[in-house]
Every structure is written in structure tokens, then in C-alpha cells.
Amino acid sequence: MVMEHTLKERLLEVFTQHDLAAKSAFIGLEGFRNTAFETFKAKGFPGRKHEEYRFLNFEPLFKPAHEIQPVANTLKEPAYPEWDKDCFRIVVINGQLIRQWSNLDGLPSAITIGSLQEALEMKNVKALAAIGTLASNDDDPFVALNSALFNQGVFIHIPDKVTLDKPLHLYITNQGNTHLFTQPRILVIAGKQANASLIQHFATATLPASFTNSLCEVQADEDANITMYCVQNEEENQSLVNTIEAHISKFCNFKTVTVTLGGKLVRNNLNVVLDSAECEAHLYGYYHPKNQQTFDNHTLVDHKFPHCNSNELYKGVVEEGGHAVFNGKVFVRKDAQKTNAFQNNKNILLSDDATVNTKPQLEIYADDVKCSHGSSTGYLDPEQLFYLRSRGISLEKARALLLKAYAAEVLDQIELESLHQHLSEQIEAINHQV
Amino acid sequence: MLKISNLYARVEEKEILKGFSLEVKAGEVHAIMGPNGSGKSTLASVLAGREDYEVTAGEINFDGKDLLELSPEDRAREGVFLAFQYPVEIPGVSITNFLKTALSEQRKYKGLPDMEPKEFLQRMKDKKALVEIDNNLTSRSVNEGFSGGEKKRNEIFQMAMLEPKLAILDETDSGLDIDALRIVANGVNRLKTPQNAAIVITHYQRLLDYIVPDFVHVLVDGRIVKSGGKELALELEEKGYDWIRKEVEA
Ligand SMILES: Nc1ncnc2c1ncn2[C@@H]1O[C@H](COP(=O)(O)OP(=O)(O)OP(=O)(O)O)[C@@H](O)[C@H]1O
Ligand SMILES: [Mg+2]
């Protein structure tokens, strides 16, 4: 493949020219970067033959040359949404933490939020111990590439028994005058009985078509309670691969809500490893692709130990020309007896020219478990539409009412009221344009 | 108010209404009875504007307007209300929001502004009392998980809220216990004015003890084969439909 050849060559050039491995040497990351890059070189970008990426076509996206380690000199402070006022905030532009626009006033002093690279340089024990042990380079070329090329990144540490009393808004964006290829990286370590909710917010606007390869790793220790909202609201020419890899321990409660409303090609890899007995994970998603947009959610819930629960609900609305992919893997391994694992994916097609590929994959190796999965794809129910219309409600309003109710099941999982309201209104506005 | 002339309607290539005619004037209550499958619900659906039904001949005039030209929502806005035989469940849409939207859309059509929230709540309260419907029920999603009887009662509640000119009740009595039947019938009677009218579809004479019809029509095989006063219902209850069929054939 021509593109792969040239892009790979350019990546290689960047990797050697910038001497990233050597620069990382003093923090002991040289080997880590080199191995990651070798892995990426061996695998290359996933093409159509790659089982996990077979519905995605990256080739046309990388036709124009991309700047790979962009350092923008004239950055502009982004405009934040209404709900930002209820949050702490950090701003990540082109993968780098921009301190002057962060808002950490009143942050409990025990909590560390800073540059990942600096944390590693300062030999932060937690960061050093965790880096490279969560997401695996071998499983996914995008992870390998992020490990090889990430620049600075973000490190968040919430120590034992500490509560982050407001959600942390991670505003992730790109800025520049050319096509960018950026590698934001976030490492979150939540100690025993730590509580936190994080909002990963992708919001790149008005920029030549660019590509973000984001990686967020979460390690949750015993009895930690972590909620992650993932709000994807990029312009229609921006593409994103967002990998979240979470490893959770005993008594942990881990919840994610992923809402994808913008972007050209958006791929979410959400991998949750239930790494101990008696923990639980809840995964929710909502997506609405239209007109040449592809939104792809790949989730993996890995039950390794007994007495764990997982529950997953992804719902989508696919408009004319839109393409949605859902692939939900649930592994229940041999020792994971007494597992409860439920998964459901629902899709509403708003046009004959809308595409959905949905594939639940339950692999169960234990015998004393309760597991189920379901998926449905269909049009809005004509009986419901007729009922509403027979009371004087216009077809357009009837549709909007049904779509709003449909989305609510996922949105109601968002506990931050202002974010909930913002997304509900945004979705309502989109539905009124249908 | 309503004049149906020589109506033919089909669904999926099957002719169901075959020359149906009926005139309903303001202030009247008409009962339609007839064997299963004779086309009663089809008539109700055609009046409400369900799109699966194709009208191949005939006319429906409603207060001077050609009803068949109107969308389902415009028919409702003109004052047609159908209490469904099988009301559909709409999870996630609250009854309050549903009725607020319906009222607002109907008022907009008539050039009226939205109701004041206070006025709306008062109307909800009054109408709830009228059909003796529980607050528990109206705080839920439309018909979701409602029992058969609760769904029927909710239909009458909606009718009370929307105050239609012409109400078509499709077997609203089936599935109701004796008390609920009395309450629902009572509600219908109290909503009756000289300006509005009702078409009551039922299998049982019992309902007509409460909602006393001015006319009873018997629908067999897609058209009215016999009409009479309320005593016709009693006769049907006694003798079944066979004697009418025989009478028609003769
Ligand atoms: N959507 C449809 N597709 C095919 N056949 C239909 C459809 N709707 C109605 N029918 C048929 O049309 C005929 C009349 O049905 P309709 O529901 O109007 O009868 P009804 O008089 O209301 O009966 P019941 O007393 O059982 O409620 C029946 O034979 C029914 O099976
Ligand atoms: Mg019927």
C-alpha cells in the first residue's frame, strides 16, 4: 500500500530525526519507545485485512502529508462549553499539557495532575511502575505508535482515600495550520478508595483534516470508584482513534459513557480488564453518524476472576450516509465463576442509506455464569409514530420525541447535570435537523 | 359533523370496507357493533389516518373538510380523536410531556399560544379526577408496563385533556373491570356536549347501559347491514349475529 509505505517512512524519519528514543534515555524510556516503534514497524497501520479494523479505511485520510510532532507557536485559548464551570480543567493541545489554560483551583493538594513525561523524569514511583503495563503494544498498532511518539502526555494520580470533588475536564484538541497527526496520552492512577470522574472531551475545530491517536490508561486500585465520560464533538473533517485501557481491582466500580456526535472517522477502543474478584464495570455509549461519517465502537470486557459484574449498553442513530460499527467482546475466563455479564446494542436507521455493522462476541469458558447479549437494528416504530401523530403531534416532532427518549436511556447515566443537559440539547438539535 | 359515503378501503390487497356509509351529527352517540374481523378497527384507523390503509373509493367529510386529504396530525387538530383498541407503549416519553406537546401542537394549529404551565397543570388535575386515574400512572412513560385496563383508562384521560369534537372509542370497554367500566363511561358522558359526538365500537351491550347511544349500527363484512335504536344492541346480545346475516341474505 502506497500510503502505508510513505506514512510509515515519514514516521520512521520523525522517530529517528527527533531522536525520541535517545531523548527518553535519561528517563529510562528508551527501550520502551524503541520496542514500541519496532512493533509498529512490524505491524504497520491496520489495513482492511486487519480483523479488528476491517470496516475502517485509513488510507485516504493520510493521503496528504501530516505533521507528526507538531509544535504550534501561536496557540489560541479554546472556548469551553457551559458545563466546564462545574469542573477542574486541563487543556491538552497537540498532545501537550498547556498549563496556563488549566484550571485546578481548589484541587485537593494530595492529587497530582501534570505532565506524564515530567512525572517519569522525576521518577514518580507510581508512574514508572504503571507505564507500559496496561495497554499492550502487541495488541494494537495504534497503541504502539502512541507509545513510540507521545510527547509529554498527562499524568493523574489520585492517592488512596482521596476524592476528586469536581469532575476533571480533559479538553483535548489540536491546533496548527496543516494536517496534524497527534498522540495524546493520559495515565490515570486511582488509589485505594479513591473517587474521581473524568471527562475526556475531544473538540478539535477548524483545522485542516487531522488525525488524533489518543491513549488513556487507567489503573484503579481496590475499592476505587471511577467514572469516565467521553465526549466526542470534533468537526466533520477530524479523525480520531481513542483507546481507553482500564484495569480495575477488587470492589472497584468503573463506569464509562461515550457520546460520539462529531468527527469523520471515530474509532473507540475501550478495553476493561476486571483484574480481581468482586468488581464491576458499566459501559454506555451513544452515537449518531451521518453523511460520510464512520463511528466505530470496539469494546472488550475481560472477566478474569469470580463474582464480577459487567453491564453494557450502546445505542446509535444512523442517518443517511452514516456508518456505525459496534463490536463488543466479552471474555469470561475459566476462573470467572459467578460472573454476571450483560451486553446490548441497539441501532435506529433513519434512512435506507445508513449502514450498521454490529457484532457481539461472548466467549465464555466458565460454567456457572449469567451472561446475555442482544442487538437490534431497525427503523423508528411506525406504530409509535402513528400514535403520537394521532394526538396532533407533527411527524417531525414525533420523531424527535422518540429519538430523545431513545437517547435518554444512555444520557441519564451522566451524573454531571450540566453536561447531561448540554448533550441532551445538542442531541435534540441534531434530531430536529433530521 | 361527519359524513362517510360509500367508503371502500383495503389493506395489503385485501378489501375490508366495502361501501360503508354513516352520518354523525353534533350531539349524537353512535354505537357500532359487529363480528370479529368485520372491519370496525379498520374504519377507526381510516378515520384517524393510518397510512397502511388505502381508500379506493368513497368520501369522508368532516365539518366541511375532506378528511382523507389531511395528515393524521391535522385530523387530530381538526378534532378527531381515536381511543385505540391496542394502545402502543412508548418508553421514555412521559405522559405529561406527551400531552403538553400534543396540546401545544393543537393550539398552534388553531392560532392559540401555549397554555400557561399553571393552567396546564390544573387541567391535568381536573381531568385526572374526572377519569379517576392515578398520579402514579400519569407520572410514568406513555402506556409503558400499563395493564390492559390502565391503557384504556389512559386513552380516555387523553381524550379528556384534548377535548375532541369527534371521539372514536374502539373497544374501550374490553379489558376493563366493572368499576373501571363505570368510571370510564361516566367520564365519557361528562365530556359529552351538544357540540361534540362519539362513535363507540363495542361487542357488549353492557357498555351501552352506561353510554346510551342514539343509534346502533351493525357492521358485517365491511358495511352497515342494519341500524336501529339502543334496543338493537339488546336484540344482538340475545340472538347473536346469525339472524342478521340471514336477514341480509334473504
Ligand atoms: N394490517 C393488516 N394486514 C392484513 N390484514 C389486516 C390488517 N389489518 C386488518 N386486517 C384484516 O382486516 C379484517 C378486519 O379487521 P379489523 O381489525 O378491522 O376487524 P374488527 O372488526 O375490528 O375485529 P375485532 O372485533 O376482532 O376487533 C380482518 O380480517 C383482519 O385480519
Ligand atoms: Mg377491532
Side-chain angles (χ1 to χ4, degrees):
Chain A
M1 224 193 290
V2 175
M3 93 86 194
E4 190 171 310
H5 192 62
T6 51
L7 180 64
K8 237 166 90 177
E9 274 179 358
R10 242 179 291 128
L11 288 165
L12 184 66
E13 208 176 288
V14 169
F15 192 71
T16 42
Q17 244 176 33
H18 289 246
D19 215 1
L20 284 168
K23 269 198 216 157
S24 306
F26 66 101
I27 52 170
L29 271 184
E30 188 183 14
F32 175 73
R33 295 252 199 214
N34 274 330
T35 315
F37 199 72
E38 288 308 317
T39 307
F40 173 74
K41 268 204 301 192
K43 290 179 185 274
F45 271 101
R48 291 249 163 173
K49 286 198 202 85
H50 194 293
E51 177 55 27
E52 295 301 320
Y53 285 93
R54 66 200 180 98
F55 293 114
L56 305 185
N57 189 3
F58 296 103
E59 193 172 345
L61 300 178
F62 284 109
K63 278 240 167 75
H66 280 63
E67 200 180 333
I68 290 158
Q69 288 278 325
V71 206
N73 5 6
T74 50
L75 293 180
K76 258 187 64 194
E77 180 162 20
Y80 312 110
E82 232 339 77
W83 50 263
D84 173 78
K85 68 177 188 332
D86 299 326
C87 305
F88 295 115
R89 174 202 328 127
I90 60 171
V91 176
V92 176
I93 300 179
N94 302 347
Q96 284 183 280
L97 178 65
I98 311 297
R99 281 176 209 278
Q100 79 250 35
W101 295 329
S102 297
N103 174 11
L104 299 174
D105 295 345
L107 185 76
S109 59
I111 296 177
T112 306
I113 297 177
S115 145
L116 175 59
Q117 192 162 317
E118 269 174 41
L120 294 167
E121 281 169 11
M122 310 284 276
K123 305 240 176 317
N124 181 299
V125 186
K126 296 278 184 192
L128 280 172
I131 189 102
T133 66
L134 299 164
S136 153
N137 295 331
D138 293 324
D139 292 346
D140 192 314
F142 283 105
V143 170
L145 196 60
N146 184 292
S147 295
L149 295 176
F150 85 87
N151 184 7
Q152 219 185 59
V154 177
F155 175 59
I156 299 168
H157 178 218
I158 304 135
D160 294 355
K161 298 195 171 130
V162 174
T163 292
L164 183 66
D165 44 9
K166 286 192 288 186
L168 175 62
H169 175 192
L170 295 138
Y171 188 96
I172 303 171
T173 191
N174 293 323
Q175 285 187 10
N177 302 317
T178 170
H179 306 283
L180 307 179
F181 183 30
T182 64
Q183 323 283 332
R185 188 182 186 105
I186 299 164
L187 173 62
V188 180
I189 296 187
K192 292 180 182 148
Q193 294 174 39
N195 278 295
S197 87
L198 311 172
I199 305 164
Q200 223 190 356
H201 178 200
F202 295 92
T204 296
T206 54
L207 181 73
S210 292
F211 195 108
T212 306
N213 172 29
S214 161
L215 174 62
C216 175
E217 296 173 292
V218 179
Q219 178 188 305
D221 293 344
E222 229 176 272
D223 211 4
N225 196 338
I226 303 295
T227 301
M228 284 200 69
Y229 302 119
C230 198
V231 179
Q232 300 172 325
N233 247 335
E234 301 195 291
E235 291 277 291
E236 275 175 49
N237 63 349
Q238 303 297 315
S239 295
L240 168 69
V241 170
N242 183 37
T243 303
I244 297 178
E245 174 93 20
H247 291 205
I248 68 174
S249 320
K250 201 176 174 111
F251 304 140
C252 273
N253 191 333
F254 180 72
K255 173 167 137 179
T256 60
V257 185
T258 304
V259 179
T260 311
L261 301 175
K264 178 171 182 58
L265 182 161
V266 176
R267 164 62 174 260
N268 289 302
N269 294 312
L270 172 56
N271 307 320
V272 183
V273 180
L274 291 86
D275 226 356
S276 168
E278 295 177 75
C279 55
E280 56 186 285
H282 304 270
L283 285 62
Y284 298 92
Y286 182 84
Y287 45 90
H288 185 139
K290 54 175 188 287
N291 193 21
Q292 306 301 317
Q293 294 176 311
T294 300
F295 297 167
D296 175 345
N297 282 288
H298 267 58
T299 65
L300 165 64
V301 178
D302 193 353
H303 285 270
K304 293 184 162 173
F305 293 89
H307 295 285
C308 293
N309 299 328
S310 71
N311 180 28
E312 184 171 4
L313 175 66
Y314 273 70
K315 294 176 95 171
V317 172
V318 189
E319 214 177 308
E320 184 159 311
H323 182 192
V325 181
F326 175 80
N327 181 301
K329 283 202 186 78
V330 177
F331 293 147
V332 181
R333 297 183 191 262
K334 193 167 92 273
D335 294 331
Q337 299 295 358
K338 305 282 181 196
T339 290
N340 292 310
F342 304 108
Q343 182 191 80
N344 205 340
N345 173 232
K346 296 181 187 175
N347 296 286
I348 289 181
L349 304 174
L350 293 181
S351 150
D352 290 336
D353 181 27
T355 313
V356 171
N357 298 101
T358 172
K359 184 176 175 193
Q361 262 178 285
L362 254 61
E363 291 184 23
I364 302 171
Y365 303 99
D367 47 26
D368 185 12
V369 300
K370 280 200 195 102
C371 298
S372 76
H373 68 84
S375 95
S376 65
T377 299
Y379 298 93
L380 279 173
D381 182 353
E383 295 296 318
Q384 294 180 339
L385 282 172
F386 179 65
Y387 190 85
L388 294 169
R389 294 176 77 190
S390 79
R391 300 306 185 234
I393 298 172
S394 68
L395 177 60
E396 183 192 297
K397 270 240 163 68
R399 271 206 193 110
L401 268 178
L402 293 180
L403 289 174
K404 187 178 173 180
Y406 175 78
E409 203 185 348
V410 169
L411 293 183
D412 287 352
Q413 294 298 327
I414 298 175
E415 285 149 48
L416 180 64
E417 188 40 48
S418 52
L419 177 61
H420 178 275
Q421 193 188 333
H422 176 94
L423 289 174
S424 302
E425 284 169 6
Q426 192 184 348
I427 287 169
E428 220 175 322
I430 292 172
N431 289 339
H432 272 289
Q433 287 160 20
V434 168
Chain B
M1 173 184 289
L2 176 74
K3 190 161 193 284
I4 307 175
S5 327
N6 202 25
L7 190 70
Y8 284 77
R10 64 203 311 189
V11 58
E12 291 176 5
E13 306 297 303
K14 190 179 164 206
E15 196 94 88
I16 298 169
L17 296 182
K18 304 169 187 168
F20 182 95
S21 299
L22 176 69
E23 187 167 355
V24 178
K25 297 203 176 74
E28 293 177 349
V29 175
H30 291 245
I32 296 183
M33 305 183 77
N36 294 132
S38 56
K40 302 181 299 295
S41 294
T42 301
L43 172 69
S45 295
V46 169
L47 286 173
R50 193 188 281 273
E51 274 146 4
D52 320 341
Y53 294 82
E54 189 197 348
V55 173
T56 51
E59 282 170 24
I60 307 179
N61 189 294
F62 182 67
D63 268 348
K65 289 208 167 75
D66 179 359
L67 201 68
L68 294 172
E69 284 296 306
L70 301 180
S71 64
E73 52 268 39
D74 279 350
R75 296 180 194 202
R77 295 160 180 175
E78 287 290 342
V80 176
F81 179 92
L82 169 60
F84 286 75
Q85 183 174 4
Y86 304 109
V88 64
E89 303 196 6
I90 312 184
V93 176
S94 75
I95 291 186
T96 306
N97 188 21
F98 165 54
L99 284 172
K100 203 180 275 169
T101 312
L103 260 179
S104 144
E105 293 259 290
Q106 296 210 9
R107 289 172 67 93
K108 199 165 68 193
Y109 185 78
K110 298 182 184 102
L112 298 169
D114 274 358
M115 247 181 193
E116 291 295 321
K118 232 178 96 187
E119 196 188 341
F120 174 77
L121 289 176
Q122 186 59 45
R123 180 177 320 206
M124 286 278 284
K125 206 174 143 204
D126 294 346
K127 305 300 182 179
K128 270 190 261 189
L130 185 73
V131 298
E132 299 183 32
I133 195 167
D134 224 279
N135 272 328
N136 283 335
L137 228 48
T138 54
S139 63
R140 282 159 57 179
S141 292
V142 178
N143 295 325
E144 191 187 15
F146 284 22
S147 74
E150 287 168 342
K151 283 181 182 164
K152 296 302 177 70
R153 205 184 281 211
N154 186 30
E155 294 292 291
I156 301 304
F157 172 58
Q158 291 171 41
M159 172 181 139
M161 285 295 291
L162 298 172
E163 298 180 339
K165 273 194 246 170
L166 174 68
I168 304 148
L169 312 184
D170 191 358
E171 293 196 30
T172 303
D173 52 336
S174 55
L176 290 180
D177 64 41
I178 314 264
D179 290 338
L181 181 70
R182 191 180 36 76
I183 292 163
V184 162
N186 205 8
V188 173
N189 287 333
R190 284 170 61 186
L191 293 165
K192 196 78 221 36
T193 70
Q195 284 76 46
N196 62 23
I199 297 174
V200 180
I201 297 171
T202 182
H203 284 295
Y204 305 105
Q205 197 277 332
R206 198 183 56 189
L207 176 69
L208 305 178
D209 283 342
Y210 296 104
I211 305 175
V212 181
D214 301 297
F215 303 94
V216 174
H217 309 279
V218 184
L219 182 65
V220 176
D221 196 20
R223 59 198 186 87
I224 291 176
V225 296
K226 196 174 176 66
S227 297
K230 61 176 192 292
E231 50 317 316
L232 180 55
L234 281 168
E235 208 173 347
L236 285 171
E237 183 99 340
E238 224 169 274
K239 306 198 211 161
Y241 290 112
D242 269 357
W243 68 278
I244 289 198
R245 282 202 185 96
K246 282 191 192 113
E247 207 180 89
V248 172
E249 277 158 25

